[in-house]
Amino acid sequence: MLLKMKIDWLLQILIGCGSIKVSEILKYCNSRCLAVVPQGGNTGLVGGSVPVFDEVIINIGSMNNIISLDKVSGILVCEAGCILENLDSFLLNEGFIMPLDLGAKGSCQIGGNVSTNAGGLRYVRYGSLHGSILGLEVVQANGTVLDMLGTIRKDSTGYDLKQLFIGSEGSLGIITKVSILTPPRLSSTNLAFLACKDFFSCQKLLSESKRKLGEVLSAFEFLDNQSMDMVLTYLDGVRNPLPPSVHNFYVLIETTGSNETHDKEKLEAFLLHSMESGLISDGVVAQDINQASSFWRIREGITEALMKAGAVYKYDLSLPVEKMYNLVEKMRIRLGQRAKVLGYGHLGDANLHLNISTPEYDDTVLAQIEPFVYEWTSSHRGSISAEHGLGLMKANKIHYSKSPETVELMISIKKLLDPNRILNPYKVLPHSLVQE
Ligand code: FAD
Ligand code: 2HG
Ligand code: ZN
C-alpha cells in the first residue's frame, strides 16, 4: 500500500515533467535513501538503464521539447528526452545534422547518448560528444539543478564540470537539457560498399582513405564475412550487394561534401586506384538513397541479427588498428565449433565490436572468453568499453582500463556528488568499492 502511494505520487509528479519535477523526485528519493535508475530510450547494451532490485525508474522521455536552434552557429538546445532521430529530422529542415548517428537512433534519447558518451557512425568525422556538447543542465542527487547550459564554443573559466556527466551513465546526476554544436548539412553524400581479401587490406584502405579522401570522409565501417552471414541468415529482405564470391571482409566508406561532381569524381578515382593496387577486390557505389539505405541496413542490422540468432556475448573494444583483428582470430581458435565469432565496427575510430554467438548461454564458453578478452585488451592498452559504457555488465571490469588511483578518484567523486549512493547503484563502478 505504502509502495503504491509512493508510486502514485511519483507518477503525479512526472506528469508534465521538467527539471523542477526531476529535482522534486530526486529530493524525495534522496531524503529517504531510495535508489533511482535514470532511463532514456533503454537501448543501451550494458544494462545501465535497468533496475537491479527495487530502484525507482526515472524515464525522462516526456521531456522532449526542442528549445532553440541558432541558425548561424548551429547550436541546438533541447530537453534530454528528445529522440536522436527526431532531432536529426528537425535539423535536416534547418540545414544542419546531428554530429552523431547510431543504429538505435529511432529509440535512443540525446540524454542517454550523452550519458553513455555514445560514438556511432559519424565519429570519424565529427569526433566525441566531449567536443560537441557545449552545455548541460543536470539535476544532482539532492535535487540541486546545475545550470551548465552554455551555448558558446569557447570557455575556459574554471573546471569544465559538464564533462564529468558525459559518459557517467546516470551515476552522478540526471541530465535534463543539452546544448550541442550541430554541423551544417552538406549537399552531397556518397556511399561505397567494398570487399577486401584480408584485414591488412582494410587497414591499408583506411590509412589511404584518410590521406586521399580526408576532407570528405564521413564514415569508415567494416564487417567480416561471419557478420555478413549473420545478417543474411536472420534479417528479412537483406542481400549482399556484391556478386557471390568469397569475400573475407566488407568496408563501407561514406563521403560527405559540398560539391557533387568533385566529391563523386574524387571517390571514384580513389576506388579505381585502390582496386588497381589490390586493396579492394570488388565494390559498388550506391546509385540512390534507397540503395545507400540498403547498404547501411547490412552494417546497422548486425546487432538485431545477433539477437535473433540466440545467446550473444558482446564486447566493445578500442584497440590499435593493426592488432584489432588478431583478437577475433584468437577467439575463434579458443572457441572452435562451439560459437560463431563476429568482428565488425567503427574501423575509422579503431573500435572493434567483438560479438560471440551461441545457441544458448553456456558457462564453459564464457570461461574461454573472459577474462582472456579483457586481459588481452588491457595488455595492448586498449579500452574494454569504447562507446557503450560499463553499465551493470562491466562495472567490475573497470580496472582493466583504468589504474587503481583513477578508479579511487572516480569513487571519491561519486561519493561527493551522491553521498547516499542513490543514483544508478551497481553501475559503472564496482559496487563493493562504492559502498565502503
Ligand atoms: P538508455 O539505454 O536508456 O541508458 C543508457 C545509460 O544512460 C544508463 O546508464 C542510464 O541510466 C543513463 N541515462 C539515460 N538517460 C539519462 C539521463 N537523461 N540522465 C542521466 N543518465 C541517463 N552505441 C554507440 O555508442 N554507438 C553505436 O553505433 C550504437 N549502435 C547501437 C545500435 C543498436 C541496434 C542498439 C540496440 C544500440 C546501439 N548503441 C550504440 C548503444 C545505445 O544505443 C547507446 O548507448 C545510446 O546512447 C543509449 O541511449 P538511450 O537513450 O537508449 O539510453
Ligand atoms: C554498432 O556499432 C553498435 O552497431 C552495436 O555499437 C554493437 O551490438 C554491438 O555489439
Ligand atoms: Zn558501435
Side-chain angles (χ1 to χ4, degrees):
M1 182 62 183
L2 197 64
L3 183 69
K4 168 132 187 21
M5 277 168 59
K6 195 168 79 189
I7 290 170
D8 286 350
W9 179 84
L10 286 172
L11 281 176
Q12 264 184 0
I13 271 191
L14 277 169
I15 296 169
C17 208
S19 44
I20 300 303
K21 301 285 182 188
V22 175
S23 162
E24 282 179 44
I25 295 168
L26 284 179
K27 255 187 220 152
Y28 178 91
C29 291
N30 194 44
S31 66
R32 286 158 181 81
C33 288
L34 295 172
V36 303
V37 178
Q39 194 178 73
N42 211 10
T43 68
L45 296 170
V46 287
S49 58
V50 285
V52 180
F53 294 110
D54 55 357
E55 300 92 303
V56 173
I57 297 174
I58 304 184
N59 186 308
I60 55 145
S62 60
M63 296 176 63
N64 57 6
N65 292 306
I66 291 172
I67 298 166
S68 63
L69 171 68
D70 181 326
K71 293 187 186 176
V72 178
S73 62
I75 296 167
L76 172 78
V77 181
C78 66
E79 290 184 319
C82 290
I83 289 179
L84 178 61
E85 191 166 47
N86 294 348
L87 291 175
D88 215 27
S89 307
F90 164 78
L91 287 172
L92 207 71
N93 294 325
E94 305 289 343
F96 295 91
I97 59 164
M98 287 299 280
L100 78 162
D101 182 26
L102 328 175
K105 55 184 156 281
S107 309
C108 65
Q109 299 171 7
I110 189 67
N113 301 148
V114 173
S115 302
T116 53
N117 188 23
L121 306 165
R122 295 180 183 158
Y123 193 103
V124 70
R125 176 72 164 259
Y126 300 115
S128 163
L129 285 176
H130 282 290
S132 307
I133 295 295
L134 301 183
L136 294 176
E137 180 188 79
V138 174
V139 184
Q140 288 187 265
N142 63 7
T144 305
V145 180
L146 279 183
D147 178 357
M148 304 174 286
L149 200 61
T151 50
I152 43 177
R153 269 203 91 175
K154 296 183 79 173
D155 177 19
S156 54
T157 54
Y159 307 134
D160 190 358
L161 291 181
K162 68 174 183 297
Q163 298 295 349
L164 264 185
F165 297 89
I166 302 175
S168 66
E169 301 179 72
S171 64
L172 299 180
I174 299 193
I175 298 173
T176 44
K177 291 192 187 117
V178 171
S179 159
I180 182 163
L181 181 65
T182 71
R185 175 161 79 99
L186 303 177
S187 55
S188 103
T189 299
N190 291 294
L191 180 64
F193 192 92
L194 311 166
C196 296
K197 63 178 185 309
D198 51 28
F199 189 70
F200 182 73
S201 305
C202 300
Q203 244 184 82
K204 195 92 201 318
L205 195 63
L206 171 64
S207 42
E208 289 287 298
S209 67
K210 282 192 168 165
R211 249 173 240 286
K212 301 211 172 106
L213 297 173
E215 78 282 11
V216 285
L217 186 66
S218 52
F220 195 106
E221 297 286 317
F222 94 106
L223 54 140
D224 59 14
N225 189 24
Q226 289 77 353
S227 306
M228 174 65 94
D229 273 353
M230 190 59 75
V231 171
L232 297 179
T233 310
Y234 289 99
L235 299 188
D236 291 336
V238 174
R239 59 171 205 88
N240 186 342
L242 299 177
S245 177
V246 183
H247 298 301
N248 293 325
F249 292 91
Y250 298 91
V251 168
L252 285 96
I253 297 184
E254 187 194 69
T255 64
T256 307
S258 56
N259 185 325
E260 182 87 48
T261 320
H262 162 271
D263 295 352
K264 210 173 182 105
E265 277 173 11
K266 191 165 184 150
L267 178 64
E268 280 170 359
F270 172 75
L271 295 179
L272 185 66
H273 181 258
S274 306
M275 195 85 96
E276 283 167 358
S277 63
L279 285 186
I280 301 173
S281 32
D282 203 350
V284 52
V285 176
Q287 294 306 303
D288 55 39
I289 191 154
N290 292 332
Q291 203 178 11
S293 304
S294 70
F295 293 178
W296 277 124
R297 176 75 181 129
I298 297 171
R299 167 63 186 86
E300 291 185 316
I302 305 171
T303 304
E304 187 187 334
L306 278 159
M307 285 196 270
K308 291 185 174 170
V312 58
Y313 303 85
K314 301 180 88 63
Y315 303 91
D316 164 36
L317 312 165
S318 270
L319 286 164
V321 175
E322 63 282 8
K323 299 274 163 50
M324 188 191 264
Y325 205 75
N326 294 358
L327 178 59
V328 181
E329 286 164 342
K330 279 187 194 301
M331 207 48 94
R332 282 195 185 121
I333 294 168
R334 289 175 77 84
L335 292 168
Q337 297 303 310
R338 285 194 288 167
K340 289 182 181 148
V341 180
L342 278 61
Y344 64 99
H346 314 288
L347 189 56
D349 316 317
N351 179 183
L352 170 71
H353 292 312
L354 168 70
N355 277 248
I356 296 161
S357 168
T358 51
E360 50 205 30
Y361 286 104
D362 178 342
D363 283 347
T364 62
V365 169
L366 184 60
Q368 283 300 308
I369 304 173
E370 297 183 18
F372 173 78
V373 66
Y374 296 126
E375 286 170 356
W376 198 89
T377 303
S378 186
S379 71
H380 291 89
R381 295 190 67 80
S383 168
I384 62 144
S385 180
E387 57 169 13
H388 296 161
L390 295 163
L392 175 67
M393 279 142 75
K394 301 190 175 166
N396 288 329
K397 316 290 182 208
I398 191 169
H399 56 275
Y400 287 106
S401 284
K402 292 284 165 8
S403 68
E405 296 74 17
T406 314
V407 175
E408 206 173 300
L409 183 56
M410 287 186 195
I411 289 168
S412 307
I413 293 170
K414 164 75 179 170
K415 287 180 179 173
L416 179 72
L417 296 190
D418 179 18
N420 291 336
R421 280 80 133 180
I422 64 160
L423 288 169
N424 225 358
Y426 322 103
K427 319 286 172 61
V428 189
L429 296 166
H431 187 62
S432 54
L433 299 182
V434 175
Q435 289 308 109
E436 266 172 14

